Amino acid sequence: MTQQVATGAPPLRRTLPANGVRKDIQALRAIAVGLVVINHFWPLRLPGGYVGVDVFFVISGYLISKHLLGELERSGRVKLSAFYARRVKRLLPAATLVGVLSLAAAWLWLPFSRWEAIAQETMASVLYVENWLLAAKSVDYSAHNDAASTVQHYWSLSVEEQFYLVWPLLLMVVFMLATRFRLRHRRMLVLAMAVLGAAAFAFCVWITFTNKSQAYFVTPARVWEFAAGALVAIAGTAWFERLGPLTRWATSGGAQWLGYGMIAYSAVNYNEQTYFPGVAALLPVAGTLLVIASGPRGPVWSPNTALAMRPVQFVGDVSYSLYLWHWPLVVLAPALLGRVPSSLDKVCLIAAALGLSFLSKKFVEDPGRTKLLKGARPRTTFIAMALAMAIVCALGASMLVAMGQAQNAEALKGQSLSSQPCYGARSMNPANNCQDAFRAPDLANVGKDEAPWFDTPECTAAPDPIEVRDLKLLTDCDFTGGAKATATVWLVGDSHAEQWKTSIYELARQNKWNLRVSLLGGCPFMGAKRIAFLGAPTLDPGIQQKCVEWGAKLTARITVEKPDMVFVSSFGAGETIDDGSGRSQGSQYFDLASKALASWSGVGTKVFVLRDTPLTLSHSTPDCVALNASNPMACANARTDALPPDPIADTVVKMDDPRVKLLDFSDQFCDQSKCYAVIGGLHVYFDRDHAARSYIHSMLPVMIARFNAARSQMPG
C-alpha cells in the first residue's frame, strides 16, 4: 500500500481466479465465439465476424505452448502419448456427439440431395481433415453452390488438431537441440517460432493473393497465428513486469483497449471480399496478442473489468460447445421451421444453442476431460478414439448408401413420368392443355443426378487440349455411333453453357456429330476480365488472368479449326467484366463478344447463341421448393426481375450476322408474368444458379425444332 501511495499508481486488478483460468482469456473466447455466431446468423450485420476463429487460433497457440514449455522445463521432455490422450478426451466427446446428432437430424429433416456432402464432411470432420476437404471444394467450381453441411465449421477444429499433432514434437526437438549445444532454450525457442512464423506468414500472404478461397482453409496458412501465440507464451511478459507501476498501469489498460478495438474493427469492417487471412489477419491476431500479453492484470478502467462479469465468463466457459452447436442449428432451422428464420427465430436459436452448450459442457465436455477413461493408459484412449471415428464413418457411409437408394428411386419414378404430355417443359406447350403446369413437384427432390456437370462414355480428354495454367480445357465426344460424322460441332462457355449439355448431347447423338467441348466455370467465353460475380467483387488476379487466357485461346482455336457449328452460352447477366475502358457493361460485352462471334462466323462456322436461363434470384431454388412443397408458386419470381437483359443475346441482335443466330427458350421457364421453380412436376433448377438436367432434357423437342428452324435460315 505504501508503494502505491508513493508512486501514485492505482492498483492493477488481477483477472486470475483460484482455478488458474485467466478471465481475460475467457473473455477473449467469449468474444471470439460471439463474433462467429453473430456472423453466421446475421452475416450482413457483422461481415467480418469470421475473425473470431483467428482469435481462437492465437489463444490455442499461447496456451498449448505455455503448457508444453512448462513440461519441458520441468522434465526436459514431453510425454507425447499422455499429451495426445488429454487432447482426445478434451475435444473428441463433444465434437463426436454434435457431429452424430447433426448427421441424424440431417438424415431426418434435410432432402437427400444434401446427404452426400453432409456424410462426406462428417467423416472428414471426425478424422480431422475437414479443412482439406473444404480447400479442395473451394477450387472446384461445380462445388461453389453446394449448400453448407451441418459440420462445415469443424474445419477450424481440424486445423487445431493438426497443430496439436505437430507442435509438441517441434518444441521438444528445438528444446533438446538447445540443451545439447548448451544454448538458452527459451532464446532458441523464440528464434524458432519467429522463423517459422515469418515463413508461414509469407506463405499465407502468397496463397491468399493467388488462391484466396483455398488459403482460408489450409493449415500452413494459419500456422503463423499459432506461432504468434507461442511467442508470447515463450518470451513471457517479463518486459512488462519491469515497467514502473504507473507506466505498467497505463500500458496494460491501453494495450487491452487497443487489442479489443483491433478485433472489433476487423469484425465490423472486413467482409467476404477482404483478402483474408493474408495481411488482413494481422489486425485481429495482433489485437489478441496485446490482450494476452498485457494481462491478466489491468486497471479498473480496462475493458477486462466489465468482461470479467459472470455472463461473459459463462459464454467463455461454454465457447467450445457453443461453437459446435450453433452452426447445425443455422443449417437445420429452415427445414425445421418450414420457413426462412426471422430475427426472433434467430435469437431463440442462439438461446437454444447456449442451453445445449451448457448441457454438453456439464455432462459431456467436462466429464470427458476429467472422468472418461480415468486412470487408463493412453493406448486405451487411442483405441476408444479409433472406435468412435470408425462408428461415425460407418454412419456416414450408411447415409451415402441411403442417398444412392433415394436417388435411384427418384430416377426410376422420373422415367415412368417422362412420357406424360404434361411432364416438365411439355406442360408449357398450349397444345397439351395442361391445367396444372405449376403444380407441386412429382419428384421429391433434386439430387446429384440433376447436376449440369456430368460425364458420358462418348466423351474423353482431347489429345490437343486448350491448356490454361494447370487446366486442360477440351473434351472430344464421338456421338457418331461408328458412322461417318455429319458435322464437327463445338460447345463452349461457362457453367451456364454446361447446363445445356444434356440437350446438346442428345442433338449430337441424333445427328451423328463429333462434338468438342471447352467449358470454364465463371469465365466469359470471349476472354474478358471478370471483376464481379452476382455483384460481389472477384479481385483474384489468378481468376481474372485465367479467364482472359482461356477466352483468347478458345477464340483462336475455333477460328483455326473452322468447325461446322458452335453452340455458346454465358452468364452475362451475373458476370461483371472490365476491359479498362470504363464504358457500360453492354458496350464492353458487345465489343468483346461480337469480335469473338464474328471471327467464328467469318470462317464459315454457324454460331448458335443460347440465351441464358432466368435468374433464380436465390429464390426459385430447390431449398425454397422444399420449404413450400405444397405451394411451389411461392418460389416464383417476377419475369421482369428474373429475365434482365442478357448482354450476349443483345449482342447477337445488334450484330445481325446471318451466320450467328439466337436460340431463346425463356418461354420454357416463364409465362408473361412469372418465372417458375417447378414446371410440369419437375424442379426447374438444380441449385441457385443452374437449371436441373431433367428439366433441360424435357425441353429437347422444342430445342430441336428451334435449332432446325434457325439453321435453315443460315447461308450455306
Side-chain angles (χ1 to χ4, degrees), residues 521-596:
C523 287
F525 69 90
M526 62 279 189
K529 183 170 74 171
R530 192 195 81 182
I531 61 169
F533 186 79
L534 288 174
T538 53
L539 304 179
D540 189 328
I543 293 176
Q544 293 177 352
Q545 185 56 39
K546 182 171 62 175
C547 291
V548 172
E549 185 179 344
W550 170 70
K553 290 183 177 181
L554 174 71
T555 298
R557 177 69 72 87
I558 293 176
T559 303
V560 169
E561 293 195 5
K562 304 176 184 178
D564 298 289
M565 290 175 280
V566 171
F567 289 89
V568 60
S569 189
S570 187
F571 190 22
E575 295 171 346
T576 305
I577 63 173
D578 182 16
D579 64 0
S581 67
R583 296 174 300 161
S584 69
Q585 285 296 294
S587 296
Q588 293 184 52
Y589 262 101
F590 176 78
D591 282 359
L592 293 170
S594 62
K595 182 179 179 181

Side-chain angles (χ1 to χ4, degrees), residues 590-641:
F590 176 78
D591 282 359
L592 293 170
S594 62
K595 182 179 179 181
L597 298 175
S599 70
W600 301 340
S601 67
V603 296
T605 297
K606 297 175 180 178
V607 182
F608 299 89
V609 175
L610 297 154
R611 192 205 191 282
D612 195 23
T613 52
L615 303 176
T616 68
L617 304 174
S618 297
H619 181 60
S620 297
T621 61
D623 285 344
C624 179
V625 175
L627 296 178
N628 299 275
S630 61
N631 180 31
M633 289 284 287
C635 301
N637 289 313
R639 180 186 175 103
T640 52
D641 296 331

Side-chain angles (χ1 to χ4, degrees), residues 253-577:
Q256 288 154 16
W257 273 111
L258 179 59
Y260 287 119
M262 293 166 75
I263 296 170
Y265 179 88
S266 57
V268 171
N269 290 280
Y270 290 0
N271 54 43
E272 289 185 357
Q273 281 71 56
T274 303
Y275 268 70
F276 198 89
V279 174
L282 281 172
L283 196 62
V285 168
T288 307
L289 292 174
L290 280 174
V291 174
I292 294 174
S294 61
R297 293 184 176 91
V300 69
W301 48 269
S302 164
N304 281 336
T305 302
L307 294 173
M309 293 190 296
R310 186 56 198 151
V312 178
Q313 294 298 301
F314 169 78
V315 175
D317 292 343
V318 302
S319 57
Y320 176 59
S321 287
L322 180 57
Y323 183 83
L324 293 175
W325 279 111
H326 84 280
W327 182 249
L329 296 181
V330 172
V331 174
L332 294 167
L336 293 172
L337 297 172
R339 65 178 187 277
V340 176
S342 65
S343 292
L344 179 59
D345 292 330
K346 293 176 181 180
V347 171
C348 293
L349 288 169
I350 292 174
L354 284 167
L356 290 168
S357 302
F358 169 75
L359 293 174
S360 61
K361 177 171 174 57
K362 183 174 181 179
F363 297 109
V364 178
E365 189 180 337
D366 288 345
R369 184 180 69 253
T370 59
K371 298 179 181 178
L372 182 65
L373 301 175
K374 186 175 183 179
R377 293 182 177 180
R379 181 175 62 180
T380 304
T381 301
F382 300 144
I383 292 173
M385 175 192 71
L387 182 61
M389 290 178 170
I391 291 172
V392 175
C393 288
L395 291 173
S398 299
M399 192 177 200
L400 290 175
V401 171
M403 185 277 300
Q405 293 172 341
Q407 182 73 70
N408 292 336
E410 291 297 292
L412 291 173
K413 187 177 179 181
Q415 291 175 11
S416 68
L417 295 171
S418 62
S419 60
Q420 296 180 1
C422 292
Y423 172 82
R426 294 179 206 146
S427 64
M428 300 296 281
N429 186 346
N432 291 335
N433 194 29
C434 299
Q435 301 299 316
D436 55 350
F438 312 121
R439 63 185 181 273
D442 295 327
L443 301 177
N445 211 328
V446 176
K448 66 176 183 177
D449 286 352
E450 293 297 323
W453 27 89
F454 63 93
D455 297 318
T456 187
E458 294 95 337
C459 298
T460 57
D464 56 340
I466 297 174
E467 297 189 38
V468 179
R469 301 194 176 189
D470 58 341
L471 302 175
K472 296 182 177 181
L473 300 170
L474 188 59
T475 301
D476 281 337
C477 302
D478 184 351
F479 290 109
T480 65
K484 182 180 179 180
T486 62
T488 298
V489 181
W490 281 62
L491 170 63
V492 302
D494 56 17
S495 63
H496 280 230
E498 190 166 15
Q499 66 187 348
W500 296 103
K501 273 198 326 187
T502 183
S503 288
I504 300 296
Y505 281 10
E506 192 57 39
L507 271 176
R509 287 190 186 94
Q510 293 185 13
N511 290 281
K512 300 188 183 305
W513 293 339
N514 278 331
L515 183 68
R516 310 204 84 185
V517 182
S518 184
L519 303 163
L520 183 56
C523 287
F525 69 90
M526 62 279 189
K529 183 170 74 171
R530 192 195 81 182
I531 61 169
F533 186 79
L534 288 174
T538 53
L539 304 179
D540 189 328
I543 293 176
Q544 293 177 352
Q545 185 56 39
K546 182 171 62 175
C547 291
V548 172
E549 185 179 344
W550 170 70
K553 290 183 177 181
L554 174 71
T555 298
R557 177 69 72 87
I558 293 176
T559 303
V560 169
E561 293 195 5
K562 304 176 184 178
D564 298 289
M565 290 175 280
V566 171
F567 289 89
V568 60
S569 189
S570 187
F571 190 22
E575 295 171 346
T576 305
I577 63 173

Side-chain angles (χ1 to χ4, degrees), residues 54 57-58 60-62 65 131-132 155 159-160 162-164 166-167 170 192-204 207 215-231 277 285:
D54 303 84
F57 287 163
V58 176
S60 294
Y62 171 79
S65 298
N131 64 313
W132 292 105
W155 75 268
V159 171
E160 288 214 22
Q162 292 157 30
F163 160 73
Y164 293 146
V166 174
W167 208 247
L170 176 63
M193 294 303 101
V195 171
L196 176 64
F201 179 70
F203 172 79
C204 176
I207 194 173
Y216 192 79
F217 297 110
V218 296
T219 305
R222 301 288 187 159
V223 167
W224 68 276
E225 300 180 1
F226 295 102
L231 274 172
V285 168

